[in-house]
Amino acid sequence: MVDYLVELDPVWQALLATLFTWGVTAAGAALVFFTRTVNPRFMDCMLGFAAGVMIAASFWSLLAPGIDMAEQLGQVAWLTAVIGFMSGGIFMRLADRILPHLHPGLGMDKSEGIKTTWQRSTLLVLAITLHNIPEGLAVGVAFGAVAADLPSATLGGALALAIGIGIQNFPEGTAVAMPLRREGMSKRKSFFMGQASGAVEPIGAVIGALFVLNMQSILPYALCFAAGAMIFVVVEELIPESQRQYENIDLVTMATMAGFTIMMMLDVSLG
């Protein structure tokens, strides 16, 4: 399989990788066919685990390679990292402020972004879609970076990032589909809405790969940008959502550490 990927154009590599991550989102949403509820403690642990994966991926797959590339291209590495990382966070803050969305478990009066008359189901999907924008871009940039033929960008590292994002997409699909099912939506429609939240990843990946392939000088900025965007999502949404129940905080914290460890192992071994 890896030999086949090596032969492909980076854009196709990014597309295939994010079709996988979208598929894992769909697998998480498919739980609605088997149950109407998921144990809240288990769900919190899955979200904490996803946060750990994203934190590790942000450093090992994105920020560290971005700093290395900046040095190899003769840029001021720390300045490139600061500009790219903070730009990613600012971009997500603006998107969070503008895009209408609603986090699972909250009432309609807690919806964020521009006020609309959209249905609750649509707002729930958009909340997870907002998570997936930086994830798709990150995978696209990672595969596009491999084409730059710089030592810090490897196909193994890009694959590790895609696998890690795929793993943490499972609870995100569940987090959308399960509340809709509990509210009385049919299994099929709940699944459809849950998996739809991952559809943005292949789009983001293709855009990210095409962008860096045509403007390789901004590669370090793009990698750091993706890292900043992912850290924003973790701190602003995943960690608070996973720790709403105070009695689960220690368990969720260990799940976060487990996610970080697994992603670290993937990236160090494959990258």
Side-chain angles (χ1 to χ4, degrees), residues 144-231:
V146 176
D149 202 25
L150 295 171
S152 52
T154 66
L155 181 59
L159 285 172
L161 177 61
I163 293 169
I165 287 177
I167 291 171
Q168 65 90 39
N169 273 0
F170 187 91
E172 291 187 352
T174 305
V176 174
M178 205 59 69
L180 297 178
R181 178 63 182 143
R182 286 198 302 269
E183 291 172 9
M185 188 176 287
S186 69
K187 294 178 181 179
R188 184 173 297 181
K189 189 170 182 181
S190 298
F191 166 75
F192 176 80
M193 299 298 283
Q195 65 82 34
S197 65
V200 72
E201 288 191 2
I203 298 170
V206 169
I207 292 172
L210 286 171
F211 191 63
V212 298
L213 283 172
N214 290 288
M215 300 181 67
Q216 291 191 1
S217 63
I218 67 160
L219 253 176
Y221 293 98
L223 287 165
C224 295
F225 177 96
M230 287 176 64
I231 290 296

Side-chain angles (χ1 to χ4, degrees), residues 44-46 48-50 52-53 250-260:
D44 289 346
C45 286
M46 286 202 298
F49 182 88
V53 169
D250 288 344
L251 189 61
V252 170
T253 300
M254 293 306 300
T256 303
M257 294 185 69
F260 185 98

Side-chain angles (χ1 to χ4, degrees), residues 8-25:
L8 290 176
D9 179 86
V11 175
W12 281 103
Q13 292 173 342
L15 177 61
L16 289 175
T18 45
L19 287 176
F20 160 74
T21 62
W22 183 9
V24 180
T25 305

Side-chain angles (χ1 to χ4, degrees), residues 61-262:
S61 296
L62 299 169
L63 195 58
I67 292 171
D68 289 342
M69 284 183 195
E71 293 175 344
Q72 292 158 13
L73 294 173
Q75 299 174 0
V76 180
W78 67 265
L79 183 59
T80 297
V82 168
I83 293 172
F85 186 81
M86 290 305 299
S87 295
I90 292 169
F91 170 81
M92 289 306 298
R93 173 65 184 119
L94 292 174
D96 190 66
R97 189 176 181 84
I98 295 171
L99 183 69
H101 62 285
L102 176 67
H103 298 295
L106 299 181
M108 286 293 287
D109 60 320
K110 300 293 185 181
S111 64
E112 300 178 41
I114 296 173
K115 298 304 178 185
T116 71
T117 57
W118 294 349
Q119 293 183 347
R120 176 181 174 84
S121 58
T122 303
L123 295 175
L124 284 169
V125 172
L126 286 175
I128 303 300
T129 300
L130 190 60
H131 291 187
N132 291 339
I133 291 172
E135 294 168 12
L137 286 172
V139 173
V141 169
F143 279 99
V146 176
D149 202 25
L150 295 171
S152 52
T154 66
L155 181 59
L159 285 172
L161 177 61
I163 293 169
I165 287 177
I167 291 171
Q168 65 90 39
N169 273 0
F170 187 91
E172 291 187 352
T174 305
V176 174
M178 205 59 69
L180 297 178
R181 178 63 182 143
R182 286 198 302 269
E183 291 172 9
M185 188 176 287
S186 69
K187 294 178 181 179
R188 184 173 297 181
K189 189 170 182 181
S190 298
F191 166 75
F192 176 80
M193 299 298 283
Q195 65 82 34
S197 65
V200 72
E201 288 191 2
I203 298 170
V206 169
I207 292 172
L210 286 171
F211 191 63
V212 298
L213 283 172
N214 290 288
M215 300 181 67
Q216 291 191 1
S217 63
I218 67 160
L219 253 176
Y221 293 98
L223 287 165
C224 295
F225 177 96
M230 287 176 64
I231 290 296
F232 180 93
V233 169
V234 170
V235 177
E236 200 267 344
E237 298 182 13
L238 283 182
I239 290 178
E241 285 179 18
S242 69
Q243 297 192 351
R244 282 185 187 151
Q245 300 182 72
Y246 183 78
E247 64 273 15
N248 294 338
I249 286 180
D250 288 344
L251 189 61
V252 170
T253 300
M254 293 306 300
T256 303
M257 294 185 69
F260 185 98
T261 301
I262 289 174

